[in-house]
Every structure is written in C-alpha cells, then in structure tokens.
C-alpha cells in the first residue's frame, strides 16, 4: 500500500480534526489532496510532529488530534512514545507511515529497514491501542476506529517507498501557523 492511498482513504475524516504532519512526502501528499485550515505542515521540523501533536491533544481535549508522522521522524524522537503513553490523551491518534527510509533525506534506510518494530515500541512504551494495518482497507478501518474511539491510539502503517521526497506546499509556513491557530479556536 502507498501512503497516498492511505491518506485518500481517510481524507474526509480529517475535516474536524487538528492535523499535524511531519515534513517531506507526508506533507506534500496531504497537501496534494487539498489544503484545509486545520492542517499544520511541519516543514523543516523533523522529529517534532509527535511532540506538537501531544501538546495540542493535552491543550485541546475536546478536539481530536491526528499526527501524520514518518518512521525517520519518530525514530529521531522515540521518547515521545513514553511521554504520550504516560499522559494517554484520549483525543490523540498518532499515525506513522513507515517506508523504511529517510525519504526527504535522500532515501537512506532507517532502523525499521533492519527490523525495528514501531508498533512493538509503542506497545512497550505503554500505549494501549496499537494497530499495524497491512492493507489500505485495514488502514481505513484502523483509522476510523481510532478517530471514533476515546482512547489514545497509535497506528504503524508499512507503506511503499514511492512518493515525493520534498514538501512542495504552496502555503507559506508563517501563514499556515496563523491559519492553523485560527482553525483551533473553539
């Protein structure tokens, strides 16, 4: 399955969520489906999507927060799994698209290419709801279940390595920051 197929299968359900994306292909592919004010693209901030998403989930408990992360990014900040498990916000859905490479960094393999199991790490950190879908249909079902549930959820989706290496979004980073803040106002 591809990351874009997963994003297409769940795009409509992102409308009411606060969505934080990691840099690179995830941001570019989400943007290609159509930008929304509730999307925050973390260009030039590798490793921070999970931390920012956790902070938003804790500050905005009435809003579902979806983090769209990559394996390389999460591996740079593994401590966020333990911190998220400790606080276990019931409105946080952390999705990791594992393509086994640092796509935005030239395609160098990540630790997952050598066997590191992100779903296993999330379970070991104490996250109670962890899923590892293998097909687009399983991913869409896992996502719908996570968004509809009142539990902290982690989804590790192994995806193909294809996709854009860079994040060519047409929205300026500063404009995106203010637009996203306005979208989060209750």
């Amino acid at each position: 399955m591809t990351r874009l197929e997963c994003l297409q299968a769940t795009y409509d359900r992102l409308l009411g969520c606060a969505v934080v994306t990691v840099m690179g292909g995830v941001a570019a592919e989400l943007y290609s489906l159509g930008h929304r004010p509730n999307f925050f693209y973390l260009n030039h901030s590798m490793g921070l999507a999970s931390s920012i998403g956790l902070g938003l989930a804790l500050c905005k408990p009435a809003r579902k927060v979806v983090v769209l992360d990559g394996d390389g990014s999460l591996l740079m900040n593994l401590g966020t799994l333990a911190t998220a498990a400790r606080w276990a916000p019931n409105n946080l859905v952390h999705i990791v698209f594992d393509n086994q490479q640092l796509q935005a960094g030239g395609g160098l393999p990540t630790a997952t290419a050598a066997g590191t199991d992100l779903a296993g790490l999330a379970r070991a950190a104490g996250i109670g709801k962890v899923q590892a879908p293998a097909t687009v249909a399983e991913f869409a079902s896992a996502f719908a279940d996570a968004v509809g549930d009142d539990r902290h959820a982690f989804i590790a989706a192994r995806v193909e390595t294809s996709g854009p290496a860079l994040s060519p979004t047409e929205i300026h980073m500063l404009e995106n920051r203010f637009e996203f803040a306005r979208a989060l106002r209750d």
Side-chain angles (χ1 to χ4, degrees), residues 7 26-36 39 41 168-171:
L7 290 170
V26 177
E29 289 178 350
L30 181 65
Y31 187 84
S32 77
L33 296 175
H35 171 67
R36 292 179 174 157
F39 295 170
Y41 311 98
T169 57
E170 293 181 18
I171 187 167

Side-chain angles (χ1 to χ4, degrees), residues 68-81:
L68 301 175
D69 213 344
D71 54 316
S73 182
L74 178 59
L75 288 165
M76 291 182 73
N77 189 11
L78 279 176
T80 194
L81 292 177

Side-chain angles (χ1 to χ4, degrees), residues 85-169:
R86 190 270 182 234
W87 292 103
N90 64 359
N91 60 328
L92 179 61
V93 177
H94 186 175
I95 298 169
V96 179
F97 293 111
D98 180 5
N99 64 2
Q100 301 181 17
Q101 66 174 324
L102 295 167
Q103 192 170 10
L108 296 170
T110 65
T112 63
T116 298
D117 177 7
L118 296 177
L121 289 172
R123 283 186 199 95
I127 296 173
K129 185 176 187 125
V130 177
Q131 298 181 67
T135 67
V136 175
E138 288 176 10
F139 179 83
S141 177
F143 179 77
D145 179 48
V147 169
D149 197 0
D150 281 336
R151 288 181 32 195
H152 174 209
F154 182 91
I155 300 170
R158 179 74 47 103
V159 296
E160 295 177 17
T161 59
S162 62
L166 301 175
S167 180
T169 57

